Each structure stands twice: as structure tokens, then as C-alpha cells.
Amino acid sequence: MTSESSDRQKELEQRERILREREVELRLREMEANIQATDAAFHQTAKHQPEDSQKPWMKKVILGGKLFALGVVTLVAVKIASVLAGFIIVAALGLMSYKLFFESKKTNL
């Protein structure tokens, strides 16, 4: 009785193993088919061009204008800074000359 049940058990295990192997093989075939199907799909792409986009020369003109404006602003800032530095230098020289020549010397003896 035990030999019959163990034989039966072994036979069932063998059938289950065979079924699992078949399922794995079937899944692998399906996966291969999916991979091959996705490899075959090829779509040509193109860069999107808006209809009302500016022309290339217009972009260059705008960039040139920005550069020119930056140059003008820089020159104005340098001119203002040089005038301000001149005022500060003249004021410092005036203060030093006042201290040296016009301020009364008080001697505490």
C-alpha cells in the first residue's frame, strides 16, 4: 500500500514538474514574440517647428541688440563711476589741504 501511494506520489510530482517546464517554455516563447514585435516597430521622428516661429536672422538681430544695449549700459556705468571717483578724490584733497593749512594749531604747553 505504501509503495503504491509513493509511486502515485512520484508520478504526480513528475507530472507537475513537466507541466511547470511547459509553462516556462510557453512564457519564454511569448516573451520572445513580444521582444521581436517591439523591435520591428520603428517610427521616424521629426523636430517640431511652430508655425509662427521667428526667422533665424531675426533671432540674431535680437541677440545683437541685446549685446549693444549691454555695451551701452556698461559704458554709462563706467562714466558715472569715473565722475563719482573724481568728486571723491577732489573732496579728499580739499579736506586734507584744509586740515594741513587752515585748521588752527592748538598747542597745549
Side-chain angles (χ1 to χ4, degrees), residues 2-69:
T2 58
S3 67
E4 286 179 11
S5 66
S6 67
D7 287 342
R8 176 82 172 149
Q9 186 70 18
K10 287 180 183 177
E11 184 182 340
L12 285 175
E13 288 176 2
Q14 185 178 5
R15 284 185 181 181
E16 284 180 6
R17 190 173 355 101
I18 291 171
L19 278 175
R20 274 190 242 122
E21 288 174 2
R22 286 182 185 170
E23 286 178 1
V24 168
E25 288 176 6
L26 182 64
R27 286 183 189 156
L28 286 174
R29 282 190 210 123
E30 288 175 356
M31 289 171 69
E32 274 185 13
N34 285 340
I35 290 172
Q36 291 174 357
T38 56
D39 285 345
F42 177 75
H43 299 284
Q44 183 67 30
T45 59
K47 185 177 178 182
H48 175 67
Q49 295 288 339
E51 293 175 9
D52 56 343
S53 68
Q54 296 175 342
K55 297 185 172 142
W57 62 270
M58 189 63 163
K59 288 182 181 180
K60 289 181 181 179
V61 168
I62 290 173
L63 183 63
K66 287 179 183 178
L67 184 62
F68 178 74

Side-chain angles (χ1 to χ4, degrees), residues 87-105:
F87 284 146
I88 291 172
I89 290 171
V90 168
L93 286 174
L95 181 64
M96 286 174 40
S97 63
Y98 173 76
K99 291 274 187 178
L100 286 174
F101 299 113
F102 296 113
E103 197 173 77
S104 65
K105 296 181 182 180

